[in-house]
Amino acid sequence: MEGVIRDHRLLDYRQFHVAVKRLADSLNYGTDRSPFLGSGVEFVQSRPYQPGDSIRAIDWRVTARMGKLFVKEYETPKRMPVYLLVDTSASMTVRSGKRSKYETAVFVAGGVALACLERVSPVGLLAVGSRQLHIQPTMSRDIALQWLHRLRTYRYDESTCLAHRLRELGPSLKQRSLIVVLSDLHDPAALPVLKRIGQQHDCAVLHFRDPAEEGLRGAGFFRAREAETGEPFVTHGRASWLDPKQAERELKRAAIDCLGIDTEQPFAHRLRYFFRARGLLGRGAR
């Protein structure tokens, strides 16, 4: 397809899978791999035995006291669906070093997805560029790997649709969910929408930054070309879109967890601490 690029620097599929699995193992390192979330299976009450109940569920202590069969009832914590909103817009493909923001985001999305699946949390995907890619939360590892493979292709002409996709996603969520946004936050309209959706759902933002963006701050006036539209413009080094810290401060004031990820800096340990500190992986909805 014209305009579609496959980035071979994302490694071949087998190597990519191995690298993503290693990141997932790092995120889950030291955590309980129980197939249940939260505090596990909690005892609720004993009730009279009904035909079809498992013999293994019989509460022998209550049965002996009451003189008839009783079984134990347990409450299984609900599994919180996880939505990964991956920014596929052209600005994410900007590269000033070894890897682009997009390459890094796809790698992180894969690690987070596999880590969630190992914690028995269904994972879905929503692309927030102009491409149509929406996968409902699933427990299928094969489906997750399929959409990861699709993300390894990109275009140079996609515009950002983060705010629009968030507006569409919000009303469709039937239960409390964890929403993880992986973006460079070049859509200024997205912050107010994120704040609103964060009032009903758990939200976390992984803000991807390229060293060149930081280097342009305070550089005076200069000419540039918008990565997603190709339109030339004149701006200055103090323009808000060049200040990655501003968006992060706004999100944190709205109680939305935000982690800045620089493409040329190690991030796996910071990512693990970020999720573990806030309990975003492996926490069931109560």
Side-chain angles (χ1 to χ4, degrees):
M1 182 184 299
E2 185 178 357
V4 176
I5 307 295
R6 182 180 300 278
D7 194 342
H8 295 285
R9 285 168 293 198
L10 286 175
L11 309 178
D12 64 39
Y13 188 66
R14 185 185 64 81
Q15 291 175 316
F16 177 72
H17 185 190
V18 170
V20 165
K21 180 63 169 62
R22 187 178 298 121
L23 177 60
D25 290 340
S26 173
L27 295 179
N28 275 329
Y29 178 76
T31 60
D32 178 18
R33 297 300 181 90
S34 166
F36 298 101
L37 301 181
S39 57
V41 180
E42 299 179 356
F43 173 75
V44 178
Q45 64 181 356
S46 291
R47 60 166 176 79
Y49 175 86
Q50 296 177 356
D53 287 336
S54 173
I55 296 177
R56 290 178 295 181
I58 292 177
D59 188 335
W60 294 108
R61 181 175 299 178
V62 176
T63 295
R65 186 171 70 247
M66 301 300 293
K68 58 181 179 179
L69 288 175
F70 274 74
V71 294
K72 295 179 179 180
E73 278 194 330
Y74 295 88
E75 178 184 18
T76 303
K78 297 177 182 178
R79 298 167 180 172
M80 179 181 287
V82 179
Y83 257 106
L84 301 178
L85 276 60
V86 180
D87 193 339
T88 59
S89 63
S91 65
M92 290 287 288
T93 66
V94 172
R95 179 196 305 270
S96 64
K98 294 181 180 179
R99 62 170 71 95
S100 68
K101 292 178 288 185
Y102 183 75
E103 177 182 352
T104 309
V106 172
F107 176 63
V108 170
V112 172
L114 295 187
C116 288
L117 290 175
E118 289 180 10
R119 298 291 303 175
V120 201
S121 292
V123 180
L125 169 75
L126 182 60
V128 296
S130 55
R131 78 173 72 176
Q132 296 294 325
L133 184 54
H134 186 175
I135 310 297
Q136 294 291 337
T138 176
M139 283 300 303
S140 171
R141 185 186 182 93
D142 289 339
I143 292 178
L145 291 174
Q146 287 173 18
W147 59 251
L148 270 175
H149 181 65
R150 292 177 64 182
L151 284 175
R152 294 174 70 242
T153 63
Y154 62 88
R155 301 178 65 95
Y156 284 127
D157 57 356
E158 283 196 50
S159 58
T160 182
C161 300
L162 178 55
H164 178 67
R165 296 284 187 255
L166 283 168
R167 292 191 192 99
E168 290 182 333
L169 178 64
S172 70
L173 298 176
K174 304 303 182 184
Q175 68 180 89
R176 186 171 177 83
S177 303
L178 169 59
I179 299 171
V180 182
V181 175
L182 301 92
S183 173
D184 56 10
L185 300 180
H186 277 203
D187 183 356
L191 294 185
V193 186
L194 262 173
K195 293 175 184 178
R196 287 196 297 272
I197 204 169
Q199 296 174 0
Q200 297 179 314
H201 302 276
D202 286 348
C203 289
V205 175
L206 302 179
H207 185 190
F208 293 86
R209 308 179 302 211
D210 188 276
E213 295 173 329
E214 181 68 19
L216 288 174
R217 293 184 60 199
F221 287 90
F222 59 90
R223 292 184 179 275
R225 186 177 296 275
E226 217 290 320
E228 295 167 15
T229 65
E231 294 294 326
F233 63 94
V234 177
T235 187
H236 57 85
R238 290 186 175 85
S240 61
W241 65 274
L242 291 173
D243 184 3
K245 300 297 184 182
Q246 179 179 347
E248 294 174 12
R249 286 194 296 267
E250 288 191 34
L251 290 171
K252 289 178 180 179
R253 280 197 294 267
I256 295 178
D257 301 297
C258 183
L259 175 67
I261 296 180
D262 298 304
T263 57
E264 294 304 303
Q265 297 293 329
F267 58 81
H269 66 290
R270 296 178 61 239
L271 196 63
R272 180 172 63 248
Y273 177 79
F274 174 73
F275 283 121
R276 187 172 298 175
R278 299 299 297 161
L280 294 175
L281 285 177
R283 182 175 64 187
R286 294 296 203 277

